[in-house]
Amino acid sequence: MSTENRRQEIAQAALALVDRDGLDALSMRRLAAEVGVGTMTLYGYFRTKEDLLDAVVDVAQGGYRPAPPAGGWRESLRMVARDWHRGLARHPSLVQLRLRRPVLSPEAFRGTEVAMTALLDGGFPPAEAARAFRVLFLYVFATAAFNDEEVTPERTREVARAAASLPDDEFPTLTAMMPRELAASMGGEEQFEYGLDVVLDGLEARLRSSSRAGA
Amino acid sequence: MSTENRRQEIAQAALALVDRDGLDALSMRRLAAEVGVGTMTLYGYFRTKEDLLDAVVDVAQGGYRPAPPAGGWRESLRMVARDWHRGLARHPSLVQLRLRRPVLSPEAFRGTEVAMTALLDGGFPPAEAARAFRVLFLYVFATAAFNDEEVTPERTREVARAAASLPDDEFPTLTAMMPRELAASMGGEEQFEYGLDVVLDGLEARLRSSSRAGA
DNA sequence: ACCTGAACACCGTTCAAGT
DNA sequence: ACCTGAACACCGTTCAAGT
């Protein structure tokens, strides 16, 4: 019981360390020093480092309670997507942690429940609701994994320069007109919202064609 | 010149090692042993391990030549997406490598050139073509990063069990009807193609609304 | 020039010993 | 019971020395 509390405290400290210095900075030795115990003491609370990482994921996703759904399935999915997007921005290492293996703890399913209920209410058949939800999930996590949180001027220069210096016989389109547009698409809120609309519009199109087939 | 060849050979060996045993198995020491040189010899060809990893990415993307475009922008984008999807399946570590930082080498832009040309020909304004392309890129890479290549029966059981054992007062939808559907959406070709259609339909909807606004 | 062993500052984890 | 130092088998990289 108090062991469980201590476990939580240590996982919290690990999350703080990881948020501050990045996932690579998290070592058992360093965490132990931070917490003020011998390295091997940690192994009394976590069987392995993997076990610790799972606890960090749970702590990071802990506080999340999705807002009660309002509006149609589009608005519900949009809200869940933005919630996750914010959460991943708050804990940038979460996406790396979830890459290692899928997370199946209850905490990870709260948004899923809301989104899936909204999709079923919206008229998606169950099998397609699951597929549809997964596409949204992938989009939000891909943004966190591959996009910049914001596109800085330096980044713009770097990407634009790389694109502009491609051999223009092999890359006529990219060199001629795209360097700055390409840079702008590498991250930022506007890009996130654009892609969110693309996914939601695509789901709406799927819904129309599957209900046409069904009815 | 011969130094450059040797560099390529070593990067090839590193890629083979990584394809065989995973990215975590790649160490400078182990690669050196594999290649039959002293560990420090590698530092004559690569300034750091990061430098080696960049070379591995280039080698992995080396052979790729996109098929010449045929059909409209939808078909072109679909082909590029499937090409990447296959490439990432062939070298599963590529996605982890590209997570570390964006790759800006020419080899990485061949599909981009094809896709972007198709989008411009299809009527997307340049700024939107870049954003549209990025959404497709994110989708394909997210699939490689987060989805299973195929959904095995064991995986289905594992996910279904996790979903079914959620507290049913907090997760009524997931526990009641979704366990198997959820599992089926975690990977596989059918899921990939479903999401690809969602993205392409979504882009088509965006195109219609932006050309309506423009005309 | 090209190569490389020793050494340094790190890892995760086992094991045996402390209280 | 709970904690932990020493040790083992690894890392990436610097440095100085070999040919």
Side-chain angles (χ1 to χ4, degrees):
Chain A
M1 184 50 129
S2 177
T3 282
E4 185 52 33
N5 287 351
R6 190 85 183 102
R7 201 180 129 96
Q8 294 288 332
E9 277 174 32
I10 296 172
Q12 279 282 5
L15 177 61
L17 196 163
V18 148
D19 283 345
R20 188 175 2 106
D21 298 327
L23 189 56
D24 288 347
L26 176 60
S27 73
M28 298 303 267
R29 290 167 141 98
R30 182 150 167 214
L31 177 61
E34 196 111 336
V35 173
V37 296
T39 303
M40 294 315 301
T41 304
L42 297 181
Y43 287 84
Y45 299 98
F46 306 95
R47 223 170 31 75
T48 61
K49 187 178 182 182
E50 289 289 288
D51 191 20
L52 167 67
L53 293 178
D54 285 343
V56 171
V57 171
D58 266 9
V59 166
Q61 292 176 337
Y64 174 55
R65 290 296 174 283
W73 64 267
R74 271 187 81 109
E75 277 320 295
S76 291
L77 260 66
R78 196 188 293 278
M79 289 307 139
V80 169
R82 286 186 182 146
D83 279 350
W84 279 346
H85 184 60
R86 265 193 302 273
L88 290 168
R90 215 172 351 252
H91 303 296
S93 301
L94 252 187
V95 63
Q96 286 167 263
L97 288 169
R98 294 192 60 151
L99 264 172
R100 306 186 145 259
R101 67 210 150 314
V103 176
L104 297 177
S105 69
E107 287 301 332
F109 281 115
R110 298 201 185 277
T112 310
E113 172 73 17
V114 171
M116 211 72 96
T117 306
L119 286 163
L120 293 176
D121 288 351
F124 284 83
E128 189 166 347
R131 294 207 184 282
F133 166 75
R134 187 68 181 174
V135 176
L136 184 73
F137 170 92
L138 289 178
Y139 173 67
V140 176
F141 275 74
T143 300
F146 295 101
N147 274 14
D148 296 330
E149 206 164 328
E150 56 180 329
V151 183
T152 62
E154 304 83 59
R155 199 91 182 77
T156 302
R157 266 194 300 277
E158 182 194 7
V159 174
R161 190 160 37 74
S165 68
L166 294 166
D168 61 2
D169 54 331
E170 289 184 89
F171 299 91
T173 299
L174 290 179
T175 50
M177 43 195 323
M178 304 303 301
R180 302 198 69 81
E181 286 80 0
L182 209 61
S185 74
M186 303 281 280
E189 283 309 302
E190 206 177 323
Q191 174 68 29
F192 175 72
E193 291 291 331
Y194 176 82
L196 187 50
D197 283 334
V198 168
V199 171
L200 294 174
D201 283 353
L203 292 179
E204 194 159 320
R206 293 282 98 194
L207 173 61
R208 273 201 295 270
S209 72
S210 84
S211 64
R212 203 168 38 244
Chain B
M1 183 50 128
S2 179
T3 282
E4 183 53 33
N5 286 353
R6 191 86 183 102
R7 200 181 130 95
Q8 294 288 332
E9 277 174 32
I10 296 172
Q12 279 282 4
L15 177 61
L17 196 163
V18 148
D19 284 344
R20 188 175 2 106
D21 299 327
L23 188 56
D24 288 347
L26 176 60
S27 73
M28 298 303 269
R29 289 167 143 98
R30 182 151 166 211
L31 177 60
E34 196 111 337
V35 173
V37 297
T39 304
M40 293 315 300
T41 305
L42 297 182
Y43 286 84
Y45 299 98
F46 306 96
R47 223 169 32 75
T48 61
K49 187 178 181 182
E50 289 289 287
D51 191 21
L52 167 67
L53 293 178
D54 285 344
V56 171
V57 171
D58 265 10
V59 166
Q61 291 176 338
Y64 174 55
R65 290 296 174 282
W73 66 266
R74 271 187 82 110
E75 277 321 295
S76 290
L77 259 65
R78 197 188 293 278
M79 289 308 138
V80 169
R82 286 186 183 145
D83 279 351
W84 280 345
H85 184 61
R86 266 193 302 273
L88 290 168
R90 215 171 352 252
H91 303 296
S93 301
L94 252 187
V95 63
Q96 286 168 263
L97 288 169
R98 294 193 59 154
L99 264 172
R100 306 185 145 259
R101 66 210 151 313
V103 177
L104 298 176
S105 70
E107 288 301 332
F109 281 116
R110 296 199 187 277
T112 310
E113 172 73 16
V114 171
M116 212 72 97
T117 306
L119 285 164
L120 293 175
D121 288 351
F124 284 83
E128 189 167 346
R131 294 208 184 280
F133 166 76
R134 187 68 180 174
V135 176
L136 184 73
F137 169 92
L138 290 178
Y139 173 67
V140 176
F141 275 74
T143 300
F146 295 101
N147 274 15
D148 296 329
E149 205 164 328
E150 57 180 329
V151 183
T152 62
E154 304 83 60
R155 198 92 181 76
T156 301
R157 266 194 299 278
E158 182 194 8
V159 174
R161 191 160 36 73
S165 68
L166 293 166
D168 61 1
D169 53 330
E170 290 184 89
F171 299 91
T173 300
L174 290 179
T175 50
M177 44 196 322
M178 304 303 300
R180 302 198 68 80
E181 287 80 0
L182 209 62
S185 74
M186 303 282 280
E189 283 309 302
E190 208 177 321
Q191 174 68 30
F192 174 71
E193 292 291 331
Y194 176 83
L196 187 50
D197 283 334
V198 168
V199 171
L200 294 174
D201 284 353
L203 291 178
E204 194 160 319
R206 293 281 99 193
L207 173 62
R208 272 202 296 270
S209 72
S210 84
S211 65
R212 204 169 35 244

